[in-house]
């Protein structure tokens, strides 16, 4: 079984503490938890003033971030059920950065490609939800490709997403500032 704390600590090495850069469309974040994510939490009003805002984001500590990461990201990719730590980690990391549905859709796309889009096997829904069929597909991919190749394919899909973000940024043209960091996130050893 994959270990959540190990994966979370690895992500924290990337995310760091409080950040509110203009080029980060997530806005104010702390430990990778954005203001938008905090507003979705039932206990997000950390200072108790009745408003969830940047001041609450500043109060996020590691323990709180860990709780949000577990229930809102790790659990949604079924990290505790994945036997391979590296596969669990990359799905969690992609999910933490781009939403768990993105990571899950990558698994669904890869599997459906191997099924020759229905000619060689049953397709699974590309709905971004980790259910029993998608989990079986993930296990099949790990056994068919091996974890090293699967992790590289998942990283490649996420890298392509980062390039599309930059290429599509025709108005503010500020997302290129994030590109090196995004690439380092995916490809550091």
């Amino acid at each position: 079984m994959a270990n959540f704390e190990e994966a979370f600590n690895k992500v924290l090495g990337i995310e760091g503490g409080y950040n509110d850069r203009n080029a980060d469309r997530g806005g104010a974040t702390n430990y990778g938890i954005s203001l938008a994510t905090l507003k979705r939490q039932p206990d997000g009003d950390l200072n108790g003033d009745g408003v969830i805002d940047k001041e609450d984001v500043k109060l996020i500590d590691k323990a709180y971030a860990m709780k949000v990461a577990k229930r809102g990201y790790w659990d949604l990719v079924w990290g505790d059920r994945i036997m391979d730590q590296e596969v669990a980690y990359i799905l969690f990391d992609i999910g933490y950065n781009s939403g768990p549905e993105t990571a899950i859709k990558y698994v669904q796309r890869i599997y459906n490609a191997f099924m020759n889009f229905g000619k060689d096997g049953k397709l699974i829904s590309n709905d971004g939800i980790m259910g029993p069929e998608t989990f079986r597909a993930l296990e099949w991919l790990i056994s068919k490709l091996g974890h090293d190749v699967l992790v590289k394919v998942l990283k490649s899909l996420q890298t392509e997403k980062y390039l599309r973000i930059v290429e599509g940024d025709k108005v503010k043209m500020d997302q290129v500032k994030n590109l090196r960091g995004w690439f380092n996130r995916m490809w550091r050893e």
Side-chain angles (χ1 to χ4, degrees):
M1 299 288 206
N3 182 288
F4 167 69
E5 282 191 45
E6 182 180 325
F8 179 73
N9 287 326
K10 195 171 176 180
V11 165
L12 280 192
I14 302 163
E15 291 292 349
Y18 183 77
N19 177 19
D20 191 14
R21 295 182 309 116
N22 288 335
D24 186 344
R25 294 194 180 161
T29 63
N30 201 353
Y31 293 102
I33 305 296
S34 69
L35 177 57
T37 298
L38 189 61
K39 286 181 176 182
R40 291 192 301 268
Q41 306 308 308
D43 56 352
D45 184 12
L46 298 178
N47 63 8
D49 68 355
V51 177
I52 300 174
D53 57 17
K54 288 181 183 182
E55 298 308 311
D56 296 293
V57 173
K58 291 176 184 175
L59 295 175
I60 294 171
D61 61 15
K62 182 179 177 181
Y64 186 82
M66 186 178 240
K67 181 172 71 168
V68 172
K70 176 79 165 77
R71 73 177 173 223
Y73 300 91
W74 181 262
D75 289 349
L76 294 181
V77 299
W78 291 17
D80 286 335
R81 298 183 189 189
I82 299 171
M83 298 301 288
D84 187 285
Q85 183 69 32
E86 281 305 305
V87 171
Y89 167 73
I90 197 62
L91 290 173
F92 171 64
D93 184 43
I94 291 169
Y96 207 70
N97 186 244
S98 297
E101 56 285 331
T102 298
I104 296 164
K105 283 182 178 184
Y106 291 162
V107 170
Q108 294 164 336
R109 278 181 65 200
I110 297 165
Y111 179 80
N112 285 340
F114 268 100
M115 293 300 109
N116 200 10
F117 304 100
K119 293 180 184 171
D120 297 331
K122 182 178 181 265
L123 295 178
I124 59 174
S125 177
N126 193 11
D127 59 7
I129 298 169
M130 182 66 83
E133 281 188 348
T134 298
F135 190 76
R136 281 191 298 276
L138 175 62
E139 290 178 319
W140 184 87
L141 288 168
I142 293 169
S143 70
K144 178 85 171 171
L145 298 174
H147 85 268
D148 287 341
V149 172
L150 180 57
V151 167
K152 287 176 184 172
V153 171
L154 290 164
K155 287 180 174 187
S156 295
L157 289 169
Q158 185 66 5
T159 300
E160 174 63 25
K161 177 177 178 157
Y162 294 145
L163 287 170
R164 283 194 319 269
I165 290 170
V166 171
E167 290 168 346
D169 185 27
K170 304 283 192 242
V171 178
K172 291 176 79 177
M173 298 180 69
D174 61 354
Q175 293 304 292
V176 71
K177 295 175 186 173
N178 298 315
L179 196 56
R180 183 177 180 158
W182 288 335
F183 284 178
N184 285 336
R185 180 185 198 119
M186 279 300 103
W187 297 102
R188 77 194 174 290
E189 293 299 322

